[in-house]
Amino acid sequence: MNARSRPGPLNLITDVGGLLVGNAGDDALKSGVTVLTGDRPFTAAVHVMGGAPGTRETDLLAPDKLVTEVDALVLSGGSAFGLDAAGGVMAGLRAAGRGFAVAGQHVPIVPAAILFDLANGGDKDWTESPYTDLGREALREAGTGFDLGREGAGLGAMTATTMGGLGSASLVLPWGATVGALVAVNALGSATIDGGRHFYSAPWEIGGEFGGLGPAMPSDPAARPVTKADGAAGGGQGASTTIAIVATDAKLSQAQAQRMAIAAHDGMARALVPSHTPLDGDLVFAAATGEVPLSDPVIGALDLGHAAATCLARAIARGVHAARPRPGDLLPCWSDLS
Amino acid sequence: MNARSRPGPLNLITDVGGLLVGNAGDDALKSGVTVLTGDRPFTAAVHVMGGAPGTRETDLLAPDKLVTEVDALVLSGGSAFGLDAAGGVMAGLRAAGRGFAVAGQHVPIVPAAILFDLANGGDKDWTESPYTDLGREALREAGTGFDLGREGAGLGAMTATTMGGLGSASLVLPWGATVGALVAVNALGSATIDGGRHFYSAPWEIGGEFGGLGPAMPSDPAARPVTKADGAAGGGQGASTTIAIVATDAKLSQAQAQRMAIAAHDGMARALVPSHTPLDGDLVFAAATGEVPLSDPVIGALDLGHAAATCLARAIARGVHAARPRPGDLLPCWSDLS
């Protein structure tokens, strides 16, 4: 127990005990897959706010549906083709004897969401979907340590003004629960003000974790910031979507986890402008491992929602901040900006 | 047509042509009602994100339901008792011959949402709901000019750290559409950083419309800001809810209006921390009068969503900024802070 909230030792979603993250990517394809799994099934929920989502196995996450726990969550590039990644993850989990037991079989429950990275300059001329194998490989790589930036589902991700990336952050609450966020940042808009170096997430930054530049004013607060829909590189209408997972070791019902996912969208709104547009599939999964009792059924849930929102805002900025240039990129990285 | 977006002449939601706002309140009750109506029915939709909403006639706003246009939208204090305000508004509209024609009758369509102001120090010891009459009176007061701050549904509203209020703002887009927001700010959290004078909405402020202090950093970015659930005055669990309307003169289907409501929630997330918690009923109505064709079916909708979000963030700050002290208040107003 600590008097103040603070990031966990890794400042990653894997500070939530029992959760593992694996990434796989292909530099020629300029795309990849990120998987979150656990040493055992965990409670999961989802909240979709974008107008153009791409998902698999999300209907079963509604609190009234039979299944309440999942074996993994998948974030993938590749637009709807990337949904095949969940099949690769399922195959790997099945081989390990994991899955929902029904009629003598085990069916791994693997909800997935995708982002659009088909116009990022990578070689998309495949005849058989590469995402099944990338999903299986990402599962094999799953561990507590992983790199941010051009990794997994964030490998080929772009914002309107810089390359995107894979981001993560965590927070340990005074009453003992840990919260973390994991995100592939492929926003229609931008994570920085006027496409410069100052992050919208600045008010939530802890310890200079994404440059420590502090807040700033946009040059014209009345103007809509540039988006991919305005013809930015790698853009075009629909070439977007930021997909995230927020997780906690707190004990939550599936309905409570769904409310944490809803609250976490506030972090996306604060970190990316614009968010939740008709042209993106912005969504947030929530995961809860159930190890830590809520401090209070109401205050505890409130704390978790706010922590999820701020972790997601920080994770988005950290993903963009960590991105480094690769051959064939259509946009600079944040690290290239002066 | 103008090259840059700018607020409309009133910087109120009534810059959207054909829309009228009326307020009624009772200083002893410390509560009131706000009505948005039009010179004719308008397209409406809603998106609810809080965990504790109080609503009436919102199910019929789903795009698959029969009715697509409404005669008025009501924001009211009084918790669920305030839903009676819609009955008063309906009676007034019926007397004026307004309403959805069915079987020789006219049924005014008046969706409503409430906020909780039952613990704000006002005299709540009534035996017959005062909200029906307040609704009828607010409708009588409807016009294009109205005051911000302690008016209508915002009269008795509070945030965690200051009195709340009624806010509004508008923006005229370069392609001719006008967007406006109207909000009764009764947040579980706060509109200002560390409960001080700097608004979270600062990056969206136009022309010093809420003090011009610019952005700031919180003293501890890792800490959850104080909320009413922590025992603030007038608080207690559930003593919250920020309810808003965003409107445009653009021609939108009900589904497009719903997407504008979804996008507008980003403005609430940016203006109030925390938002969208299990303990508030945070929601946004959208209204569209249909006068201005979309500049482009996709870009136009994107523009409207972003404008709705920024108008709402500005309206929230303006409501708090405009509040002035009244006898019996349990918290200071922003104007009292030094």
Side-chain angles (χ1 to χ4, degrees):
Chain A
M1 302 288 276
N2 298 275
R4 287 168 58 131
S5 298
R6 67 189 195 293
L10 302 171
N11 202 12
L12 299 174
I13 196 170
T14 43
D15 284 322
V16 176
L19 295 185
L20 309 168
V21 169
N23 288 306
D26 180 324
D27 272 323
L29 181 66
K30 270 192 183 293
S31 189
V33 173
T34 296
V35 63
L36 175 81
T37 187
D39 51 21
R40 56 189 179 77
F42 51 89
T43 299
V46 69
H47 188 64
V48 180
M49 281 187 69
T55 57
R56 173 171 165 161
E57 292 276 59
T58 46
D59 282 326
L60 63 61
L61 293 180
D64 65 303
K65 301 300 189 293
L66 179 66
V67 167
T68 61
E69 295 187 319
V70 306
D71 296 289
L73 295 168
V74 170
L75 308 178
S76 181
S79 185
F81 300 114
L83 294 174
D84 289 338
V89 172
M90 287 180 72
L93 288 165
R94 175 191 166 100
R98 292 280 297 268
F100 186 75
V102 53
Q105 296 288 323
H106 286 81
V107 181
I109 308 295
V110 185
I114 55 80
L115 57 82
F116 184 101
D117 59 4
L118 300 185
N120 66 354
D123 177 6
K124 312 297 180 181
D125 194 25
W126 46 263
T127 50
E128 195 168 336
S129 169
Y131 290 97
T132 308
D133 284 348
L134 286 167
R136 193 190 280 261
E137 182 185 341
L139 181 67
R140 273 198 304 266
E141 295 294 320
T144 55
F146 62 96
D147 292 330
L148 303 186
R150 311 293 297 278
E151 302 289 336
L155 189 153
M158 302 169 69
T159 76
T161 53
T162 65
M163 296 306 292
L166 186 73
S168 193
S170 73
L171 199 67
V172 181
L173 300 179
W175 49 273
T178 296
V179 175
L182 178 69
V183 60
V185 184
N186 190 55
L188 186 76
S190 181
T192 63
I193 296 166
D194 291 340
R197 288 169 56 83
H198 285 82
F199 285 97
Y200 286 111
S201 298
W204 318 107
E205 183 173 10
I206 301 175
E209 64 191 334
F210 44 87
L213 298 179
M217 283 294 289
S219 57
D220 180 1
R224 173 171 63 71
V226 65
T227 73
K228 291 176 184 169
D230 303 309
Q237 296 176 357
S240 303
T241 291
T242 296
I243 44 181
I245 304 169
V246 292
T248 181
D249 52 10
K251 184 170 177 56
L252 297 182
S253 68
Q254 200 173 25
Q256 289 173 314
Q258 187 175 35
R259 196 131 281 286
M260 186 169 82
I262 292 169
H265 274 281
D266 283 8
M268 203 180 284
R270 293 169 188 152
L272 296 170
V273 183
S275 293
H276 306 125
T277 77
L279 297 171
D280 63 63
D282 291 355
L283 65 79
V284 180
F285 290 106
T289 63
E291 294 295 319
V292 179
L294 282 183
S295 59
D296 171 280
V298 170
I299 303 289
L302 175 65
D303 282 347
L304 293 175
H306 178 70
T310 55
C311 281
L312 182 49
R314 294 162 53 214
I316 288 169
R318 277 164 57 81
V320 171
H321 180 258
R324 292 294 177 276
R326 299 212 181 168
D329 283 352
L330 300 183
L331 285 175
C333 287
W334 183 92
S335 60
D336 298 323
L337 305 178
S338 57
Chain B
M1 301 288 277
N2 297 274
R4 286 170 58 131
S5 300
R6 66 189 195 291
L10 301 171
N11 202 12
L12 298 174
I13 196 171
T14 43
D15 284 322
V16 176
L19 294 185
L20 309 168
V21 169
N23 288 306
D26 181 323
D27 272 324
L29 181 67
K30 270 193 182 289
S31 189
V33 174
T34 297
V35 173
L36 176 82
T37 186
D39 50 21
R40 56 189 179 77
F42 51 88
T43 299
V46 69
H47 187 66
V48 179
M49 281 187 70
T55 58
R56 174 172 165 161
E57 292 275 57
T58 45
D59 282 328
L60 61 63
L61 293 180
D64 64 304
K65 301 300 188 295
L66 180 66
V67 168
T68 61
E69 295 188 318
V70 306
D71 296 289
L73 295 168
V74 170
L75 308 179
S76 181
S79 187
F81 300 114
L83 294 174
D84 289 339
V89 173
M90 287 180 71
L93 288 166
R94 174 191 167 99
R98 292 279 297 266
F100 185 75
V102 53
Q105 297 287 322
H106 286 81
V107 181
I109 307 296
V110 184
I114 54 82
L115 57 79
F116 185 100
D117 59 4
L118 300 185
N120 66 354
D123 177 5
K124 312 296 181 181
D125 195 23
W126 46 264
T127 50
E128 196 168 335
S129 170
Y131 290 97
T132 307
D133 285 347
L134 286 167
R136 194 191 280 261
E137 183 186 340
L139 182 67
R140 276 198 303 268
E141 295 294 321
T144 55
F146 61 96
D147 292 330
L148 303 186
R150 310 293 298 278
E151 303 290 337
L155 190 151
M158 302 169 69
T159 76
T161 54
T162 64
M163 296 306 290
L166 186 73
S168 194
S170 72
L171 198 67
V172 182
L173 300 179
W175 47 274
T178 297
V179 175
L182 178 70
V183 60
V185 184
N186 191 54
L188 186 77
S190 182
T192 63
I193 296 165
D194 291 342
R197 287 168 57 82
H198 285 82
F199 286 98
Y200 287 111
S201 298
W204 319 107
E205 184 173 10
I206 301 176
E209 63 191 335
F210 45 86
L213 297 180
M217 283 294 290
S219 57
D220 180 1
R224 173 171 63 71
V226 65
T227 72
K228 291 175 184 170
D230 303 310
Q237 295 175 0
S240 303
T241 290
T242 296
I243 45 182
I245 304 170
V246 292
T248 181
D249 51 10
K251 185 169 176 55
L252 297 182
S253 69
Q254 200 173 25
Q256 288 173 316
Q258 187 176 37
R259 197 132 282 285
M260 185 168 81
I262 292 168
H265 274 283
D266 283 7
M268 203 180 285
R270 294 168 187 152
L272 297 170
V273 182
S275 292
H276 306 125
T277 77
L279 295 171
D280 62 65
D282 291 355
L283 65 80
V284 180
F285 289 107
T289 63
E291 295 294 320
V292 179
L294 281 184
S295 60
D296 172 280
V298 170
I299 302 290
L302 175 64
D303 282 346
L304 293 175
H306 178 70
T310 55
C311 282
L312 182 50
R314 294 161 52 213
I316 288 168
R318 277 164 58 80
V320 171
H321 180 257
R324 293 294 176 275
R326 299 210 181 169
D329 283 352
L330 300 183
L331 285 176
C333 287
W334 184 91
S335 60
D336 298 324
L337 303 178
S338 57

